[in-house]
Amino acid sequence: MDGQNNWEIFREIMVKVSGGALLFVEILLTLLKILYYTGEGIYRLFVPVEEKSVAGEIVLVTGAGHGIGKELALKYASLGATVVCWDLNQQGNDEVVEEIKQLGGSKAYGYKCDISNRDEVLKVAQKVKEEVGDVTILVNNAGIMPCHTFMGHSSEEIKRIFDINVLGHFWTLQAFLPSMIKKNHGHIVALSSMAGVVGLANLVPYCASKFAVRGLMESLNEELRSSSKDNPSNLQFTTIYPYMVDTGLCKKPRFRFTSFMPLVSAKQAVEKIVAAQRRNIREISIPAYWLYVNCFLRSFPEKGLVGVVDFFNSGVDPDS
């Protein structure tokens, strides 16, 4: 009996030792991965990944009738993609489709759609599938940005901001993500904002909606990654955080240093957005340095961060 007990004790010790050794090896491998991917990230700052082709892809852009959405539609068409334009503004949407057709070389389709209405999104999405095909690149661009103090927002306006800026993403994802998962091919691009990274006065509901977009994209990407380890997912996710873009949404921008923090033109923004999508970049701000600046400043004590914010004195003033 004593010999058997000693054997059991020895086996338990060996199991613990081997388990500890395996854990040590796993920790070491994780550290090596971190070092490798950090080096790769630094390298890619100087030698970017080659941009993949989007020729032949079916690209759907929401809010395509004006601003960034219009420029995105035109850019993807110029790269040989079939473009599907969605907008609540029928006239503006049709004009963009016609402009693409006049350029020649790419197919373009326009559909009037209120992305805040789930039933309408699913209905129009089915029409797109029947008339054009399965969407392979979805660009959730549509959004609204009322600029008021928090107490200046009506309950209806707050709901409208979230219906368009957040729930619109959910409904289009429910409509188009299943076919992407089935084919294991597709790319989701979401327009968040630097207001989805940093809270700003006079934009409380808007900031909250753009923070939500960031959470949606990060968690959905992780869910697909962790649930498909046996058959790795080829779906790509790109979240964009533009600084103030000159599209008319930002009616009263405020800058202390205009040369350092200028408005970005829609065409400049689109060049960065499309390049990020074609390089499978997960997150990018426009200009790119803002995400790095934010990470650096977040390491400051809270009062130090407030001091930096007050020094730059950048933001938006209420519309009225």
Side-chain angles (χ1 to χ4, degrees), residues 241-297:
Y241 306 101
Y243 180 60
M244 297 183 196
V245 181
D246 190 10
T247 61
L249 280 179
C250 188
K251 295 180 175 59
K252 293 184 178 180
R254 183 181 69 254
F255 312 99
R256 182 179 181 185
F257 304 104
T258 54
S259 59
F260 178 65
M261 307 170 77
L263 282 176
V264 177
S265 74
K267 287 188 177 182
Q268 287 175 324
V270 165
E271 289 294 328
K272 301 297 184 182
I273 293 168
V274 175
Q277 180 270 313
R278 296 179 66 193
R279 290 178 175 141
N280 294 334
I281 296 175
R282 281 275 306 275
E283 293 184 311
I284 188 170
S285 61
I286 302 172
Y289 58 77
W290 278 122
L291 277 185
Y292 301 106
V293 169
N294 176 69
C295 290
F296 174 69
L297 293 179

Side-chain angles (χ1 to χ4, degrees), residues 27-301:
I27 291 172
L28 183 60
L29 287 174
T30 301
L31 291 174
L32 289 173
K33 284 182 180 179
I34 292 171
L35 288 172
Y36 173 81
Y37 289 121
T38 300
E40 182 184 50
I42 295 172
Y43 172 73
R44 288 305 179 190
L45 288 175
F46 301 97
V47 185
V49 174
E50 184 178 350
E51 296 182 10
K52 64 185 179 183
S53 173
V54 294
E57 302 281 1
I58 298 178
V59 182
L60 188 146
V61 180
T62 65
H66 64 284
I68 291 177
K70 174 182 177 179
E71 297 300 332
L72 280 167
L74 292 169
K75 180 64 177 180
Y76 276 111
S78 72
L79 294 170
T82 295
V83 180
V84 180
C85 299
W86 277 18
D87 204 295
L88 189 59
N89 181 341
Q90 180 80 60
Q91 180 179 347
N93 206 45
D94 289 345
E95 288 173 357
V96 173
V97 171
E98 185 59 32
E99 188 172 344
I100 292 172
K101 289 180 177 179
Q102 289 179 358
L103 294 174
S106 289
K107 296 179 180 179
Y109 302 83
Y111 298 86
K112 181 180 179 181
C113 185
D114 179 1
I115 63 167
S116 69
N117 185 323
R118 181 178 184 272
D119 291 339
E120 185 172 335
V121 167
L122 297 181
K123 181 179 178 181
V124 179
Q126 182 59 35
K127 193 174 182 181
V128 170
K129 183 174 182 178
E130 293 170 355
E131 297 178 356
V132 186
D134 288 326
V135 170
T136 56
I137 300 175
L138 171 63
V139 185
N140 276 318
N141 160 74
I144 59 174
M145 192 181 77
C147 301
H148 313 304
T149 62
F150 176 68
M151 298 305 296
H153 287 280
S154 67
S155 58
E156 292 78 13
E157 187 174 57
I158 292 172
K159 289 178 181 177
R160 186 65 176 161
I161 290 170
F162 276 82
D163 281 341
I164 295 173
N165 294 8
V166 182
L167 293 181
H169 289 246
F170 279 84
W171 309 150
T172 57
L173 284 167
Q174 286 185 345
F176 300 113
L177 191 57
S179 65
M180 295 184 185
I181 293 174
K182 184 178 179 180
K183 295 180 177 180
N184 200 18
H185 174 75
H187 202 132
I188 308 295
V189 180
L191 272 290
S192 179
S193 169
M194 281 307 296
V197 178
V198 179
L200 297 172
N202 305 315
L203 288 175
V204 175
Y206 179 78
C207 286
S209 72
K210 293 302 184 178
F211 268 84
V213 170
R214 183 181 192 182
L216 165 62
M217 290 290 283
E218 187 171 313
S219 55
L220 181 57
N221 187 8
E222 176 58 22
E223 181 174 298
L224 290 177
R225 187 194 70 83
S226 61
S227 64
S228 58
K229 290 183 178 178
D230 294 334
N231 181 28
S233 173
N234 288 325
L235 270 64
Q236 301 293 329
F237 291 79
T238 297
T239 309
I240 309 294
Y241 306 101
Y243 180 60
M244 297 183 196
V245 181
D246 190 10
T247 61
L249 280 179
C250 188
K251 295 180 175 59
K252 293 184 178 180
R254 183 181 69 254
F255 312 99
R256 182 179 181 185
F257 304 104
T258 54
S259 59
F260 178 65
M261 307 170 77
L263 282 176
V264 177
S265 74
K267 287 188 177 182
Q268 287 175 324
V270 165
E271 289 294 328
K272 301 297 184 182
I273 293 168
V274 175
Q277 180 270 313
R278 296 179 66 193
R279 290 178 175 141
N280 294 334
I281 296 175
R282 281 275 306 275
E283 293 184 311
I284 188 170
S285 61
I286 302 172
Y289 58 77
W290 278 122
L291 277 185
Y292 301 106
V293 169
N294 176 69
C295 290
F296 174 69
L297 293 179
R298 292 287 183 180
S299 65
F300 286 12

